[in-house]
Amino acid sequence: MSVIDSISGLFERRGVEVRGERLIKVYRNGPLEVQALRGVTVRFPPGRMYVVMGPSGSGKTTLMNLLGGVDRPTGGTVYHGDMRIDNLGDTELDDHRLDYVGFVFQTINLVPTLTAWDNVELPLLFKKVPKSKRVERVEKLLEAVGLRGKARHKPSELSGGEQQRVAIAVALANDPPIIIADEPTAELDYENARKIVDILHALALKHGKTVIVTTHDPRVAVRADKIIRLEDGVTKGEYTPVELEKAYAPTTGGSGEAGVYGLTNIVRARLARVQEEIEELRRKLVSGEIGIEEAFERYQDLQRQKRALEDLLASIGG
Ligand SMILES: Nc1ncnc2c1ncn2[C@@H]1O[C@H](COP(=O)(O)OP(=O)(O)OP(=O)(O)O)[C@@H](O)[C@H]1O
Ligand SMILES: [Mg+2]
């Protein structure tokens, strides 16, 4: 359990549904065009942690930027609850984002010359929160991420994991309903990655926020309520890591820290089972036990699962 669960009065705003509809993003560099997203429709209701996975260059960061209002789509619409945000004016969009969305990035974006405390205070200063409230809130935020003792440290005097936790405190300063984290654990070891995921998970499950995370990291993926797979700018289905989740959670008195190697075996076994099911499906189709339509639907589903598992396996080097 993370400290974040036990601090009251810090997170009062619940999440809202984040929706992207038929999102298209084309980057133009002179004569060159990159179609980063080719019609992505996604929906993220609050109270859950979602993971977006996919190969490098598949459009994950692009999608996060559009959903969070950092960038605008070439086509399609983005909603935060009932509010359409892609057609807001620049100032309106900036104000809305500052108030509504907390971003956590892979490359930690703290101000290097400021202490942890001052970094967390910045967004509150921008929002003109009065001094006494600021002090109380910064203290609670640092406590929530387990860093009260390091308030006076500058980023260079903190470990990577600690810096990322400060970055989360910064992202949470204004109590945003939506939290978007783009590969937040990419540079962290197991213990630190777990702390980050614990915090993100608690924000969704305990505080009802809308939490969307991109990752290559299976330690993050197994904790997701839903995994969305992105490939070459289009979604390739949704995937629930139920079996992985089960195998990863504390079972018969286990610690719940099965670790990456245990996970490789779990994914391999699951992959083998999916392969068997595909063979079985072929057999049934050939013998006329099931019709082509049913077989096709089932086959697509199995292929989706297979790709998601292969993705996980690749990302844990299995
Ligand atoms: N500002 C930009 N200008 C031109 N092309 C871009 C820009 N940003 C991203 N792209 C291209 O858009 C595509 C999607 O990039 P994006 O950063 O969204 O991928 P990603 O899934 O986040 O990859 P990674 O896992 O490596 O972070 C890539 O082909 C990338 O080269
Ligand atoms: Mg990226």
Side-chain angles (χ1 to χ4, degrees), residues 27 29 34 36 54-62 183 216:
Y27 292 110
N29 288 342
V34 178
S56 183
S58 57
K60 301 182 295 296
T61 297
T62 302
E183 306 213 30
H216 290 285

Side-chain angles (χ1 to χ4, degrees), residues 245-262:
E245 182 91 78
K246 265 192 207 143
Y248 206 63
T251 45
T252 47
S255 67
E257 296 174 6
V260 174
Y261 299 106

Side-chain angles (χ1 to χ4, degrees), residues 60-180:
K60 301 182 295 296
T61 297
T62 302
L63 180 61
M64 293 308 107
N65 288 344
L66 299 188
L67 293 176
V70 172
D71 200 1
R72 290 170 199 276
T74 311
T77 47
V78 179
Y79 283 89
H80 290 171
D82 294 331
M83 186 180 186
R84 183 171 168 189
I85 67 146
D86 59 278
N87 60 355
L88 292 176
D90 286 349
T91 322
E92 275 173 295
L93 184 60
D94 286 347
D95 287 348
H96 170 74
R97 193 184 56 238
L98 208 62
D99 178 50
Y100 231 66
V101 188
F103 273 99
V104 183
F105 301 94
Q106 170 183 356
T107 44
I108 300 150
N109 53 335
L110 300 173
V111 182
T113 51
L114 297 181
T115 63
W117 177 284
D118 294 339
N119 267 285
V120 179
E121 193 184 19
L122 264 189
L124 299 169
L125 282 169
F126 280 130
K127 246 194 131 182
K128 302 191 169 65
V129 176
K131 170 117 186 176
S132 64
K133 252 197 125 179
R134 275 201 320 263
V135 170
E136 187 196 332
R137 199 162 167 84
V138 174
E139 244 165 49
K140 280 188 176 177
L141 283 160
L142 285 173
E143 192 181 333
V145 296
L147 285 176
R148 219 173 156 177
K150 307 253 164 116
R152 295 291 151 212
H153 289 231
K154 290 189 178 151
S156 61
E157 300 157 356
L158 294 167
S159 75
E162 289 168 343
Q163 287 180 46
Q164 193 58 294
R165 279 185 279 149
V166 176
I168 289 185
V170 174
L172 297 176
N174 287 325
D175 192 19
I178 300 164
I179 291 131
I180 293 180

